[in-house]
Structure formats: structure tokens, C-alpha cells
Amino acid sequence: MKKTIRDLVAKFGKLPGSIDQVADDADLYAAGLTSFASVQLMLGIEEAFDIDFPDNLLDRKSFASISAIATTVDLVRDSGKVA
């Protein structure tokens, strides 16, 4: 799953550097992720994993790192909120 998330961050995150240089627990916002790019990333993740993020998970914390995104995707899948 983290490989897919990394690919999506590379595609939608518009980070100034390579995603390959970003650790799984590194702060994506500190690495250059903007609010606009995080929305694009969220939409890409929803499509890739066939999920819909509930409103309570649409916050900066959910998209703070590769690991945080993976945890959030797992939470959505486990809650049965699959599109």
C-alpha cells in the first residue's frame, strides 16, 4: 500500500524534491505539500483505493506522512466506508 501512496504523492503532491528522499514518517507538509495539493492527493487516494474519506478524517493529520495516509486508508476500509 505504501508504494501506491508514494506513487500518488509523487503524482499529486507536487513536492519540490523526489518522494524517494522522503521517509515514511516524514512530514509531507514540511517537505512541500500544500493545502491545494493535499486535496488533489486525497481525491487520487480515494480513486486508487475505491474509498470515500469521511469528514472527520479530512484534516492535516490524516495526510501528514506516508504512514499517516496508510493508517487513514486502513481506518476507512475497516469502517466499511467503501465507495
Side-chain angles (χ1 to χ4, degrees), residues 9-81:
V9 171
K11 181 176 180 178
F12 297 108
K14 305 203 186 309
L15 301 180
S18 170
I19 189 62
D20 296 332
Q21 304 301 315
V22 178
D24 285 350
D25 292 324
D27 185 336
L28 292 175
Y29 292 97
L33 184 68
T34 65
S35 295
F36 179 77
S38 68
V39 171
Q40 299 302 310
L41 176 59
M42 183 265 311
L43 294 171
I45 291 167
E46 285 185 332
E47 184 176 326
F49 291 102
D50 195 26
I51 60 173
D52 287 315
F53 288 106
D55 290 344
N56 67 316
L57 293 178
L58 294 178
D59 59 22
R60 189 177 178 114
K61 181 180 169 186
S62 295
F63 299 92
S65 67
I66 301 292
S67 294
I69 295 169
T71 298
T72 303
V73 170
D74 282 339
L75 284 171
V76 173
R77 285 178 164 175
D78 291 346
S79 71
K81 295 193 183 300

